[in-house]
Amino acid sequence: MTVTKMTWRPQYRSSKFRHVFGKAATKESCYDGVPITRSVQDNNFCAVNPRFLAVITECAGGGAFLVLSIHHTGKVDPHTPRVSGHKGNVLDVKWNPFSDYCIASCSEDTTVKVWEIPPHGVLKNLTVPWKELQGHSRRVGLIEWHPTANNILFSTAYDYQVMIWNLDCPEQVIKNPVRTISHHTDVVLSMSFNTDGSLLATTCKDRKVRLMDSRSGNILQEANNKTHKASKVLILGNMKMLLTTGTSRWNDRQIALWDQDDLSVSLLQENLDGSSGNLFPFYDPDTHMLYIAGKGDGNIRYYEISSEKPYIHYLTEYRSNLPQKGMGVMPKRGLDVSSCEVFRFYKLVTIKSLIEPLSMIVPRRSESYQEDIYPMTAGNRPALTAEEWLSGIDKGPVLMSLKPGSQVAESYSEMNKERGNLLDSRRSQSRPGMQQLAYIQDQLGTKDGKEDGSRTADDRSRTPISNGEDLALCSPPRTENELLLKFHKQQEEIRRLRELVHQRDVRVKQLELEIKNIKNSQAQSSDF
């Protein structure tokens, strides 16, 4: 008689991210009263870094975007100064991954402009850019920074061209890109780089997905699938796979997975629903998690990606009644590791003029640093100069640890000193029209530098924090309510310090009485 041994297999896949949940910020931690753009462009309209939040706004007579301190939450003053140097509507903004004070924008006026944001934020309307890139003949719809090379910027426009710009040059107005890629026969809808920036993937209105060498522009693979019309593309880190979002033949919203080495047929196609808004994909290479957010939806689906079949594993879904127009994403170095936050969105809610931070959190009981969910990640230092990358060198990103204390933070005085030197060198390269703006920015930097320099050695060792806020990151009050709030906070701090001084005085008197009693007792014993 043959006995067959029954093996039990679980019906679910074990994963440390199985119970990730979305946590929306409180009303006080949102940005309220922001006039978000009504543009129908399928972009995110928002860019975030650990210091600033930039959002494209609705305005008349040209284009503008708002730059707010990341801690400037609550009601936003409608008269807040903006970056308003474009003559047409701004269509996309992106922060430089290696400088929290440098942002690029593109517009319907056919130009790309690169701006230097002062350390204290935009205190008055900024109209003169650091660099202006003129090369496209029609409106520029999309820009992307190179992930590892410093000052290399990619742009694409409605003239079907993808242009590569080198910002490391003395000219303030750059009219000639270092390379132009002309393979596309229609509007480019999205661009994505692999981890070291050697490959560039694009989707186009001609229904084709192209994978090319990012430096030369030579096409390596091309997909033309009749059952999947791709609108957005992502290269999934170093997993040698591409993910596209789009629509099926029957106009169902769909995601598709592709082998990077063979785009002739997709590895997987999955229909999601029948809604009409575009799907925005976001990928975290550290956790291998994929987030899918639909334009006009309130929900965000998230999945885990693996290198083996079935490749995509559905985790769960965040649901909300507030529809999103676009999404900004905080870089990993700006996350709150103490609460096990692995991803953070900034959700644009047009109907309420609201920007709502949304944290994706791994539930853990321990309050210690969780190394298994925070591997070494891409930092804010470039691996290559622009010249090295153009000469043919490819390098992966410079990695950093998110563990508190593992990275020595740059002091505020050093930041101002470095920034002042940067402005000096750039002012000498710029046209005369920038003299006044650069002078004002330089004065701001040198003034703070002098104040820092006048401090004692003991003062320099202290962290510049007041009322629980980092002085380097907080912006000055701009409305009467903000001024009153700051005043009340200051009064509270003064009251607390007075109580502390009073307690110290009482303790000193107690110690003096004890000393006096001891002396008296000693004197009495010596008399006997």
Side-chain angles (χ1 to χ4, degrees):
M1 187 173 103
T2 306
V3 178
T4 59
K5 191 178 286 186
M6 298 294 292
T7 59
W8 180 84
R9 292 185 179 182
Q11 297 300 310
Y12 63 88
R13 178 175 172 270
S14 177
S15 169
K16 66 183 76 171
F17 304 108
R18 176 177 169 78
H19 300 291
V20 169
F21 66 95
K23 182 180 179 182
T26 60
K27 182 74 172 177
E28 294 76 22
S29 300
C30 296
Y31 307 82
D32 195 9
V34 181
I36 301 167
T37 180
R38 296 190 186 95
S39 172
V40 296
Q41 189 85 5
D42 284 321
N43 286 341
N44 287 313
F45 303 118
C46 180
V48 191
N49 68 29
R51 293 183 184 274
F52 297 109
L53 178 144
V55 58
I56 302 173
T57 57
E58 188 69 20
C59 65
F65 61 95
L66 204 58
V67 175
L68 301 171
S69 167
I70 205 70
H71 303 291
H72 188 110
T73 54
K75 189 74 173 177
V76 176
D77 185 0
H79 302 294
T80 302
R82 306 182 190 186
V83 182
S84 53
H86 283 287
K87 296 178 182 177
N89 291 331
V90 178
L91 300 179
D92 195 17
V93 288
K94 292 279 170 45
W95 287 105
N96 187 333
F98 311 119
S99 171
D100 289 343
Y101 303 97
C102 180
I103 188 170
S105 62
C106 63
S107 166
E108 290 181 353
D109 63 9
T110 73
T111 65
V112 178
K113 297 187 179 185
V114 185
W115 310 84
E116 284 292 341
I117 304 300
H120 296 283
V122 180
L123 303 180
K124 64 182 226 176
N125 285 341
L126 197 58
T127 57
V128 182
W130 169 51
K131 297 285 184 184
E132 183 172 332
L133 315 180
Q134 300 176 357
H136 290 287
S137 59
R138 297 187 66 187
R139 58 180 171 169
V140 186
L142 195 63
I143 48 178
E144 289 288 348
W145 292 93
H146 192 278
T148 60
N150 196 27
N151 285 334
I152 293 291
L153 184 65
F154 284 64
S155 66
T156 181
Y158 280 64
D159 56 8
Y160 313 156
Q161 311 290 321
V162 177
M163 294 186 178
I164 308 174
W165 305 89
N166 177 14
L167 305 185
D168 281 344
C169 62
E171 294 84 11
Q172 196 266 337
V173 178
I174 306 174
K175 296 188 176 180
N176 297 313
V178 293
R179 189 156 289 108
T180 300
I181 301 172
S182 306
H183 300 304
H184 302 89
T185 59
D186 211 325
V187 178
V188 177
L189 301 175
S190 71
M191 297 188 289
S192 175
F193 292 96
N194 65 339
T195 305
D196 64 3
S198 60
L199 298 175
L200 174 68
T202 63
T203 54
C204 183
K205 214 169 180 179
D206 62 7
R207 303 176 70 104
K208 292 183 179 180
V209 181
R210 294 174 174 87
L211 182 67
M212 61 189 77
D213 183 280
S214 62
R215 190 182 297 102
S216 65
N218 296 331
I219 292 181
L220 306 176
Q221 294 284 334
E222 189 174 277
N224 187 11
N225 195 313
K226 294 182 180 179
T227 62
H228 176 74
K229 183 180 179 181
S231 61
K232 302 288 180 185
V233 64
L234 279 181
I235 300 180
L236 301 181
N238 289 323
M239 298 192 73
K240 291 189 173 295
M241 289 191 289
L242 273 70
L243 179 120
T244 57
T245 63
T247 56
S248 69
R249 182 179 294 174
W250 312 110
N251 275 344
D252 290 326
R253 293 199 297 189
Q254 189 181 65
I255 58 175
L257 201 64
W258 310 80
D259 183 354
Q260 182 178 297
D261 299 322
D262 182 15
L263 298 184
S264 60
V265 61
S266 61
L267 297 174
L268 174 78
Q269 290 186 7
E270 182 177 334
N271 291 349
L272 298 184
D273 55 41
S275 300
S276 58
N278 259 5
L279 295 172
F280 295 104
F282 304 92
Y283 179 65
D284 181 1
D286 299 333
T287 60
H288 302 297
M289 284 184 66
L290 171 72
Y291 303 85
I292 303 289
K295 185 176 181 180
D297 297 355
N299 62 329
I300 299 174
R301 301 174 176 90
Y302 34 105
Y303 307 79
E304 193 169 3
I305 306 293
S306 67
S307 55
E308 300 174 353
K309 288 185 179 181
Y311 305 114
I312 297 180
H313 307 273
Y314 176 75
L315 293 175
T316 186
E317 181 177 14
Y318 168 78
R319 294 178 181 271
S320 168
N321 294 326
L322 300 177
Q324 60 245 4
K325 182 182 179 70
M327 308 284 277
V329 174
M330 174 66 76
K332 293 299 284 284
R333 56 193 171 89
L335 299 181
D336 180 13
V337 297
S338 63
S339 63
C340 296
E341 183 184 33
V342 291
F343 215 75
R344 190 192 304 164
F345 293 101
Y346 285 77
K347 181 174 167 180
L348 305 188
V349 184
T350 312
I351 58 172
K352 290 197 171 184
S353 299
L354 185 75
I355 303 177
E356 180 187 56
L358 172 63
S359 298
M360 311 307 292
I361 295 173
V362 179
R364 294 281 173 97
R365 290 174 183 253
S366 173
E367 295 181 358
S368 61
Y369 179 71
Q370 307 291 310
E371 292 191 11
D372 60 323
I373 61 175
Y374 294 117
M376 296 288 283
T377 188
N380 60 344
R381 300 196 180 278
L384 297 163
T385 64
E387 289 74 17
E388 287 173 339
W389 183 76
L390 290 170
S391 67
I393 302 173
D394 288 317
K395 276 187 184 178
V398 177
L399 301 180
M400 64 177 286
S401 172
L402 298 180
K403 188 173 184 178
S406 61
Q407 291 289 318
V408 179
E410 187 179 28
S411 71
Y412 188 41
S413 57
E414 289 174 351
M415 177 188 72
N416 276 334
K417 183 178 178 183
E418 182 181 346
R419 181 170 177 76
N421 295 337
L422 186 68
L423 286 169
D424 283 340
S425 62
R426 286 178 177 173
R427 191 169 68 243
S428 65
Q429 298 171 358
S430 303
R431 64 187 182 189
M434 286 195 69
Q435 294 289 329
Q436 186 179 1
L437 176 67
Y439 176 76
I440 292 169
Q441 292 175 341
D442 194 24
Q443 288 301 307
L444 282 171
T446 53
K447 182 179 177 183
D448 293 324
K450 287 178 182 176
E451 289 175 359
D452 288 343
S454 64
R455 295 176 183 171
T456 62
D458 182 55
D459 289 335
R460 287 194 194 101
S461 65
R462 296 174 186 169
T463 307
I465 290 180
S466 176
N467 292 328
E469 295 180 357
D470 191 344
L471 292 177
L473 303 182
C474 66
S475 57
R478 296 173 182 170
T479 64
E480 188 176 352
N481 289 335
E482 287 182 21
L483 188 62
L484 284 171
L485 186 64
K486 296 276 185 185
F487 173 75
H488 291 313
K489 280 186 177 180
Q490 200 172 44
Q491 291 298 313
E492 182 66 25
E493 188 175 4
I494 291 170
R495 185 189 62 77
R496 184 179 59 81
L497 290 172
R498 280 177 177 167
E499 287 181 358
L500 189 62
V501 170
H502 177 68
Q503 291 172 3
R504 296 285 172 87
D505 288 341
V506 171
R507 180 60 180 158
V508 167
K509 288 180 181 179
Q510 289 175 348
L511 291 172
E512 286 176 348
L513 286 172
E514 288 179 8
I515 292 171
K516 189 175 180 180
N517 292 334
I518 291 171
K519 285 181 178 179
N520 289 337
S521 62
Q522 287 177 348
Q524 290 174 1
S525 62
S526 62
D527 290 340
F528 290 111

